[in-house]
Amino acid sequence: MYGDDETVRRILTELGDTWAVVGLSNNRDRAAFRVASVLQHFGKRVVPVHPKAETVHGEQGYASLAAVPFPVDVVDVFVNSSLAGQVADDAVAAGARAVWFQLGVLDEAAYDRTRAAGLDMVMDRCPAIEIPRLG
């Protein structure tokens, strides 16, 4: 497992409440839309990051992490595994404190690089499941 309960709890409760959700759009059928709603319910500020830069759940969207004009604490990744490593690298460059790869998003090399850069990281888990369980 990539991210033990202690790391999950730290990301959810200690590292900050501004979450960039990469892959979040207004498509209500996508998991990212539902998970972002749960994050907001638990007091997180959700920042949509998607090429369309749509406003989602009342929050202004941005086309990339680099375009977000303020610090983000956690980068929650809802993209294909083949793209996730670049997002993790972008999160490190943006000064995020943690990266979270959603269920089914797997890139062991990105996990290792992100941890080596000093960030907490969780892979193949969902914060909407973990917040009620551990938060």
Side-chain angles (χ1 to χ4, degrees):
M1 185 174 294
Y2 296 93
D4 58 23
D5 285 350
E6 179 182 327
T7 301
V8 169
R9 185 175 287 111
R10 185 171 46 252
I11 292 171
L12 293 172
T13 63
E14 297 176 22
L15 295 187
D17 291 331
T18 302
W19 285 54
V21 181
V22 178
L24 176 58
S25 71
N26 276 311
N27 184 340
R28 294 176 179 269
D29 295 329
R30 302 292 302 212
F33 188 88
R34 295 185 302 277
V35 170
S37 180
V38 171
L39 289 170
Q40 280 188 323
H41 175 78
F42 282 93
K44 307 300 182 190
R45 178 182 183 190
V46 171
V47 180
V49 177
H50 188 281
K52 293 181 183 179
E54 298 174 310
T55 297
V56 184
H57 295 304
E59 290 284 346
Q60 169 65 47
Y62 299 90
S64 67
L65 276 175
V68 178
F70 49 83
V72 296
D73 301 306
V74 181
V75 176
D76 190 7
V77 182
F78 279 93
V79 300
N80 186 288
S81 295
S82 66
L83 304 173
Q86 183 60 56
V87 175
D89 295 340
D90 293 347
V92 171
R97 301 176 74 191
V99 175
W100 192 301
F101 280 8
Q102 282 293 326
L103 292 171
V105 179
L106 301 167
D107 184 330
E108 291 183 25
Y111 180 89
D112 293 341
R113 284 194 313 274
T114 303
R115 297 283 298 134
L119 281 68
D120 278 336
M121 183 160 179
V122 171
M123 185 165 67
D124 197 28
R125 291 175 84 167
C126 178
I129 294 169
E130 303 298 338
I131 285 176
R133 188 175 82 80
L134 293 174

